[in-house]
């Protein structure tokens, strides 16, 4: 089942305001299993007349938003009537509703709002004067809705989606949702192909996670494919549901009633900024030190100068000493540290993407691990280093060993 | 002159992410006097093949975004080559750039990114692996750009808009460019109207600045309007050219060969993360402390417990003590501190948006100021607090008094 969306509004094509209806409607239609084959944003000037017939011919469903207002350049109704081969008639219920809402103002331009193509059905609008309507052009279902999101949104959820599911006789699609971290989207897509190209893999890339949707075939086959992906990426890299590394860490901290602090070098405060981004972070966050210069590592965190001289600042030893130092001065239950080479140039003879992460905790042995990220630029190395630190610290808090976990990781 | 925009991405048609490129491009094209007659959002699956020929026939300009990535469903290049009647060939410069960026990973799917239609010209991409390209199909100019906004945006402003103006022989409207900080876009637009509604004011909102373009009428009239805006917003809030607060601070630090450190409370590491975001920041950045808990302010920065008891952590006194404390432990030439109420709830009886910023320097009196931001949410308060600290520290380094400057500020 193919669907086309048409959004009408000159303020949209001029870039004055941004269309929010298209993404919302297409997300919901995709959810119902309808393939949205395109959406078009058109000016108010009747351009729809030149595209509607083609859309009706190739789609089983056309959803049109906007162009239903009282102004003369709103030609949507006429175009739909013409394309569906019906006359435009006055819907008496809508007309009466309009009169009772607007009084005398219902006459004149506003009266157009009660006109619909003959044989079409009104979709009531609880938050505005222009109702929507739906009907058929041949075998194509046409749904027409007002543009303002606060009018459209309740109509969509309350009337239109149930209507579409019923009219198009759609089954409830089964879909599993996961989140993956640190690996590049392009690499993931390559991996899916190797695992099971017949499944329907969907991804949504965000800064700190990729949301992964798997549908098609049987539940067993989907589970087997995800198990394979899990074993390729390693422990903690593919998790159920839609989540992200920061949420995982915060959940661990809250579950244990624990506090945290951070010592950052190459990430320069990014992990700290993320840890304090959400309201309520003062319940677990004590503080952080960005020890960017070696002198700051020595003077503030108490990393021994001799240790730096012997091992360098990008080392297991320095990462551990940073984590222990920040935990000591902040007095937190747990701490982590990040020191590495974010680029663009290598440092201390270590290539861009080399990142050491240290962990310390009350009544726990300190640990440190190294990750060797493929470099896709400074911002990406910093982002992935922070994500990895969050994942690994949350597992360290759960009593696991970051070293063991990292030994299972692939595709960094 | 009619233009069509085509945005490609299955995550767009499925409503998973929202297209931001279309509104940005159409706003800029409208600005140049080009009529954007429609824009279409299409999936990655080659659907563009069925619409491109029609768009070329009716438009003088077609701008296509997305569909240039390495995955197999990115068919954009082939479709454009076919529609313009050219073969797809490998661009050697792009290929060499790709190999030097990705090494072995350049082979396989990524290699597609160096292919362009014969006779087309590459548009370099400073922030990603896929370059853009442009060329002609008959008399229609086709411009093709990568989808990610952080790659597309600089390409649009640096290369594409000048190119389009030149190729389409559009009149060069005289346009003055400024940057403004901290004030909301909607508020600015309200201010323009009051200043001179006949000028053509354009804005481009980014995280830490609003780029402001003024055109129309005479140079004197434009200058008078900007002077008025400057006096309404206050010193340092409207600057010439396209810049941002971080760049202004870094320029000041470099000009004085000075180093910096930061103590952050409500911004939680955001200012530090920004200061270390760009390559080469180790030449001026020593380090930072996120002193989120009061205990961290006392134990790490040495803010006296008595001072906190007496004045609270959101106060002139605490801001100054934090700035002095971090400068002392980091040993930097200058330092600043940020302590305030980011929200969502008020704190210490102070409303959301109250932010104190402290400044300290070698051979300088410490100072602190307060800003009372209108609250548009936690992230926005944090962002504006960091921007204000950068602007004010750069002026403090130049020998000015933050207190005097802030007394001229309006519309926070």
């Amino acid at each position: 089942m193919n669907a086309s969306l048409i959004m009408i509004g000159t303020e949209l094509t001029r870039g004055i305001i941004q269309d929010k209806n298209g993404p919302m409607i297409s997300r919901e239609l995709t959810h119902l299993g309808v393939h949205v084959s395109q959406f078009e944003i058109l000016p108010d000037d009747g351009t729809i007349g030149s595209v509607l017939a083609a859309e009706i011919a190739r789609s089983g469903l056309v959803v049109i938003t906007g162009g239903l207002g009282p102004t003369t350049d709103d030609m949507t109704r006429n175009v739909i009537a013409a394309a569906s081969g019906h006359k435009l008639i006055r819907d008496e219920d809508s007309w009466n509703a309009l009169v009772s809402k607007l009084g005398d103002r219902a006459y004149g331009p506003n009266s157009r709002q009660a006109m619909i193509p003959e044989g079409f059905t009104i979709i009531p609008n609880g938050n505005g004067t222009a109702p929507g309507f739906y009907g058929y052009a041949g075998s194509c279902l046409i749904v027409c809705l007002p543009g303002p999101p606060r009018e459209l949104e309740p109509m969509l959820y309350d009337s239109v989606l149930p209507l579409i599911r019923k009219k198009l006789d759609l089954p409830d699609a089964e879909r599993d949702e996961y989140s993956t971290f640190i690996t590049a989207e392009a690499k993931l897509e390559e991996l899916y192909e190797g695992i099971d190209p017949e499944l329907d893999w969907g991804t949504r890339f965000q800064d700190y996670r990729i949301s992964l949707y798997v549908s098609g075939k049987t539940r067993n086959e989907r589970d087997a494919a995800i198990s394979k992906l899990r074993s390729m990426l390693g422990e903690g890299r593919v998790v159920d549901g839609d989540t992200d590394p920061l949420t995982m860490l915060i959940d661990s901290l809250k579950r244990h009633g624990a506090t945290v602090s951070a010592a950052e070098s190459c990430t320069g405060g990014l992990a700290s900024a993320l840890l304090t981004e959400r309201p309520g972070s003062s319940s677990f966050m004590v503080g952080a030190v960005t020890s960017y210069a070696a002198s700051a590592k020595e003077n503030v965190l108490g990393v021994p100068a001799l240790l730096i001289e012997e091992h360098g600042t990008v080392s297991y030893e320095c990462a551990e000493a940073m984590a222990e130092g920040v935990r000591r001065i902040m007095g937190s239950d747990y701490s982590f540290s990040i020191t590495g080479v974010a680029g663009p140039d290598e440092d201390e003879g270590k290539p861009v993407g080399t990142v050491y992460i240290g962990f310390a905790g009350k009544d726990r042995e300190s640990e440190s691990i190294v990750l060797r990220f493929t470099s896709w630029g400074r911002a990406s190395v910093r982002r992935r280093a922070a994500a990895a630190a969050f994942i690994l610290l949350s597992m360290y808090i759960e009593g696991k060993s970051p070293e063991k976990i990292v030994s299972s990781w692939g595709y960094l």
Side-chain angles (χ1 to χ4, degrees), chain A:
Chain A
M1 163 60 64
N2 273 326
S4 290
L5 310 187
I6 300 175
M7 265 63 63
I8 298 173
T10 299
E11 54 318 339
L12 302 175
T13 54
R14 288 195 181 163
I16 295 169
I17 62 171
Q18 182 161 0
D19 168 61
K20 307 226 188 257
N21 295 329
M24 176 168 63
I25 298 170
S26 62
R27 190 176 57 234
E28 295 303 331
L29 291 180
T30 302
H31 231 95
L32 291 181
V34 174
H35 175 67
V36 177
S37 60
Q38 74 169 338
F39 56 99
E40 285 179 84
I41 299 181
L42 304 176
D44 259 351
D45 60 5
T47 303
I48 184 176
S50 67
V51 305
L52 186 60
E55 295 305 334
I56 289 172
R58 69 176 159 197
S59 303
L61 170 67
V62 175
V63 180
I64 300 163
T65 74
L68 297 181
T71 58
T72 47
D73 48 2
D74 285 326
M75 305 178 172
T76 312
R77 310 169 187 281
N78 303 59
V79 168
I80 294 169
S84 61
H86 298 104
K87 289 189 299 193
L88 210 53
I89 59 159
R90 189 160 90 180
D91 180 75
E92 288 307 320
D93 288 347
S94 301
W95 171 245
N96 293 335
L98 199 65
V99 170
S100 79
K101 219 179 256 183
L102 297 182
D104 278 356
R105 290 197 301 125
Y107 298 88
N110 278 309
S111 67
R112 299 169 54 83
Q113 295 184 44
M115 304 294 284
I116 59 171
E118 191 166 18
F120 275 49
T121 306
I122 284 286
I123 305 169
N125 178 353
N127 298 293
T129 52
F133 49 86
Y134 73 91
Y136 284 90
S139 63
C140 176
L141 176 63
I142 298 179
V143 177
C144 201
L145 297 167
R150 57 177 289 279
E151 300 179 23
L152 177 141
E153 194 175 322
M155 295 169 76
L156 178 70
Y157 287 93
D158 298 344
S159 312
V160 175
L161 293 172
L163 172 85
I164 286 173
R165 177 146 40 187
K166 195 175 143 206
K167 293 283 177 195
L168 302 186
D169 200 16
L170 298 171
D172 258 338
E174 269 200 312
R175 178 168 104 143
D176 304 329
E177 193 170 346
Y178 301 91
S179 302
T180 78
F181 314 123
I182 303 173
T183 300
E185 192 179 11
K187 172 55 77 179
L188 270 183
E189 288 177 356
E190 206 184 301
L191 295 179
Y192 308 154
E193 286 302 302
I195 292 173
D196 190 339
E198 288 163 39
L199 283 176
D200 187 11
W201 300 86
T203 50
R204 172 187 176 202
F205 179 74
Q206 290 158 290
D207 277 357
Y208 292 91
R209 68 157 167 280
I210 295 176
S211 300
L212 179 59
Y213 310 99
V214 189
S215 57
K217 297 172 89 173
T218 66
R219 166 158 304 280
N220 281 347
E221 285 167 303
R222 293 198 299 275
D223 286 350
I226 285 291
S227 291
K228 200 158 172 190
L229 183 66
R230 275 190 216 272
S231 72
M232 291 166 99
L233 295 181
E235 191 175 351
R237 299 275 298 286
V238 180
V239 304
D240 296 354
D242 197 18
T243 186
D244 64 86
L246 179 60
T247 303
M248 287 162 65
L249 173 56
I250 292 175
D251 287 349
S252 281
L253 288 165
K254 290 193 167 163
R255 203 160 40 235
H256 290 78
T259 58
V260 69
S261 63
E264 303 184 61
S265 191
C266 62
T267 45
L270 178 64
S272 174
L274 290 168
L275 278 166
T276 58
E277 196 176 75
R278 305 184 190 172
S281 47
S282 57
S283 71
F284 54 80
M285 177 69 168
V286 184
V289 171
T290 300
S291 52
Y292 212 60
S295 66
K297 294 180 181 76
E298 294 169 19
N299 302 338
V300 181
L301 297 175
V303 178
L306 204 70
L307 181 154
I308 292 180
E309 208 175 293
E310 203 171 319
H311 301 285
T313 59
V314 182
S315 64
Y316 290 109
E317 291 80 2
C318 189
E320 252 172 72
M322 286 170 65
E324 289 170 3
V326 81
R327 198 179 88 76
R328 191 181 57 248
I329 65 173
M330 293 288 175
S332 61
D333 298 322
Y334 290 94
S335 67
F336 64 96
S337 66
I338 303 174
T339 178
V341 188
D345 303 315
E346 60 162 41
D347 193 21
E348 299 184 359
K350 304 222 161 65
V352 176
T354 310
V355 175
Y356 289 81
I357 304 179
F359 306 90
K362 204 174 49 175
D363 317 317
R364 281 290 294 277
E365 288 273 322
S366 303
E367 278 194 44
S368 61
I369 57 98
V370 65
L371 298 170
R372 301 181 202 283
F373 294 117
T374 312
S375 172
W376 307 307
R378 184 172 172 89
S380 163
V381 169
R382 282 162 51 111
R383 213 159 44 214
R384 283 177 288 160
F390 293 163
I391 296 169
L392 293 170
L393 180 62
S394 76
M395 297 176 113
Y396 182 75
I397 293 172
E398 303 298 340
K400 294 183 184 173
S401 157
E403 201 190 324
K404 261 199 199 149
I405 292 160
V406 161
S407 70
S408 75
W409 283 11
Y411 304 100
L412 297 176

